[in-house]
Amino acid sequence: MKTSMRRSINSNSLVVSLNPKSPISEVYRLLRAKIPFFSKDQDLKTVMVTSSQPGEGKTTTISNLAVTYAQEGKKVLLVDADMRKPSLHKMFSMINHRGLSTLLSGHSNIQDSIAETDISNLYLLPSGPVPSNPSELIDSPGMRELLTQLKEDYDVILVDTPAMLSVSDSTIVSPLCDGVIIVAAAGKVQKHNLRKAKEQLDHVNARLLGIVLNRAQ
């Protein structure tokens, strides 16, 4: 596994790594513990995390959730499928020269695109450079084949996608995953936007596991 992208983590956002005994960290662990109970008849190996609108905290949520899985001893892969405004590489202070965009366009391979983070058991597939055709890359046979292949190498795959009502990318990715979690920011999210997001998931037969209410007092 290539490690040239490896840097120190952004500890301000990764509270589970910085302060694992904090109440907030315990909430992330509770979320991780609940996920298997959403589906007793299916192994939830690939989970997409999104929001209805930008700025609701989905990337912070998925990153801390990934850390809790890694701390449990699972081999975890974070995939940044937001190829429009990528941010997972910033969360882990990594460079973004290669990643999902170069992989799907045939300009890199899996070994060159995935990097270890500074957290044991946690790996990152960054978005790669912003392409001119993100939706086309996401909606290609290569994306489905990639997720199928990655399932053989990782215990848990968490996929970060753009906000659902902003672009079509999340709707395209959602049926490729075993389940979807929507992050909703208290005081910001609007009910009709959550309904629209759920309708889009229903339209493509994606499985909504639940909603995480973020920033609640």
Side-chain angles (χ1 to χ4, degrees), residues 17-113:
S17 178
L18 175 67
N19 190 359
K21 294 184 179 180
S22 70
I24 296 176
S25 298
E26 187 58 35
V27 172
Y28 282 120
R29 282 192 289 271
L30 181 61
L31 173 61
R32 180 209 68 208
K34 284 187 173 182
I35 288 176
F37 293 97
F38 293 138
S39 176
K40 295 182 179 180
D41 60 343
Q42 180 182 1
D43 184 16
L44 297 175
K45 199 164 187 178
T46 54
V47 176
M48 185 186 99
V49 178
T50 187
S51 58
S52 62
Q53 296 287 343
E56 298 196 60
K58 65 178 178 60
T59 299
T60 298
T61 299
I62 196 173
S63 298
N64 281 282
L65 180 60
V67 174
T68 67
Y69 274 113
Q71 290 175 341
E72 193 183 36
K74 302 288 188 182
K75 187 179 180 183
V76 185
L77 177 65
L78 264 173
V79 178
D80 194 343
D82 188 344
M83 292 188 287
R84 299 171 188 268
K85 296 181 68 176
S87 56
L88 276 178
H89 66 284
K90 298 176 184 177
M91 186 75 67
F92 292 89
S93 299
M94 291 180 169
I95 60 175
N96 194 30
H97 292 168
R98 294 183 299 271
L100 186 61
S101 63
T102 57
L103 189 54
L104 293 177
S105 61
H107 293 105
S108 66
N109 56 40
I110 289 180
Q111 290 73 24
D112 290 335
S113 303

Side-chain angles (χ1 to χ4, degrees), residues 171-185:
T171 304
I172 295 169
V173 173
S174 59
L176 306 181
C177 297
D178 298 327
V180 177
I181 293 173
I182 295 178
V183 176

Side-chain angles (χ1 to χ4, degrees), residues 1 13 23 31 50 63 67 78 90 104 114 121 133 137 143 163 168 202:
M1 191 70 64
S13 298
L31 173 61
T50 187
S63 298
V67 174
L78 264 173
K90 298 176 184 177
L104 293 177
I114 295 176
N121 301 319
N133 57 340
L137 289 178
M143 184 64 181
S168 62
D202 291 342

